[in-house]
Amino acid sequence: MKWQDLDRENCSLARAMAVVGDRWTLLVLRETFLRVRRFDEFQENLGIARRVLTERLKHLVDHGVLEKVAYSQTPLRYEYRLTEKGLGLYPVIISLVHWGDAYYAGKKGPPLLHRHKTCGHDFHSVLTCSECGEAVSPRDVVPHPGPGARKGAWDGRLTD
């Protein structure tokens, strides 16, 4: 499997990685969830080269994760906003942040906490079953071929 061919794999993770699997892309997404919208703010916060940032923002716009919205007509300037598709990445980003907090935060603890507005408590990510609401861990899951699987592709790989 070649990196440039990920978007053609019959694997949802590989196809997703083709869109967000670059380290700068993930950091751009982090900034968008911290409500950064303008090019200069991204560049200042990330210390990223203008060319690289331009490429990553264009990539995310081309894939419908961000949309470019004009905020000034004279001169013409744009900001980048998360689309519904982009907002769907929140569980991925927050889970990575909380994983980083657990294993790399250092002695003082996480640099940023996340407070749930509704209840007022700081929270950590928990994966739950959409059907019963119970917490789910890797040992609680049995993968099986879905409707998009190629015939025979998973034979012998997936077991109870």
Side-chain angles (χ1 to χ4, degrees):
M1 177 181 332
K2 293 182 180 176
W3 183 256
Q4 66 270 18
D5 298 332
L6 286 180
D7 61 339
R8 292 189 290 278
E9 289 293 315
N10 189 28
C11 171
S12 296
L13 179 60
R15 290 177 181 172
M17 291 298 292
V19 177
V20 300
D22 171 273
R23 65 182 174 184
W24 283 119
T25 301
L26 288 173
L27 293 174
V28 167
L29 288 168
R30 175 198 67 190
E31 293 299 309
T32 63
F33 284 109
L34 293 173
R35 294 175 176 79
V36 171
R37 291 193 175 112
R38 297 185 180 171
F39 188 94
D40 291 339
E41 292 176 285
F42 285 114
Q43 188 178 31
E44 182 179 329
N45 292 354
L46 297 171
I48 185 174
R50 293 181 72 80
R51 179 189 59 78
V52 174
L53 179 57
T54 299
E55 289 171 2
R56 296 319 183 271
L57 289 168
K58 182 181 182 322
H59 180 74
L60 291 169
V61 169
D62 289 348
H63 284 277
V65 174
L66 297 178
E67 64 181 341
K68 266 176 89 167
V69 178
Y71 70 87
S72 171
Q73 295 300 322
T74 311
L76 185 57
R77 300 239 190 253
Y78 294 94
E79 62 184 20
Y80 297 86
R81 296 186 185 173
L82 288 159
T83 62
E84 283 300 312
K85 187 177 187 179
L87 289 168
L89 285 165
Y90 186 72
V92 175
I93 299 298
I94 199 71
S95 292
L96 278 171
V97 168
H98 289 157
W99 180 79
D101 289 347
Y103 295 101
Y104 299 104
K107 293 179 183 180
K108 290 184 179 181
L112 190 64
L113 299 174
H114 300 88
R115 181 160 295 144
H116 184 217
K117 286 199 251 181
T118 302
C119 72
H121 289 91
D122 293 338
F123 72 95
H124 64 277
S125 303
V126 178
L127 183 62
T128 60
C129 174
S130 61
E131 302 306 308
C132 71
E134 187 175 308
V136 177
S137 76
R139 290 183 178 92
D140 300 325
V141 176
V142 178
H144 59 95
R150 287 188 308 261
K151 187 168 179 66
W154 298 99
D155 293 350
R157 288 182 57 192
L158 303 176
T159 59
D160 292 331

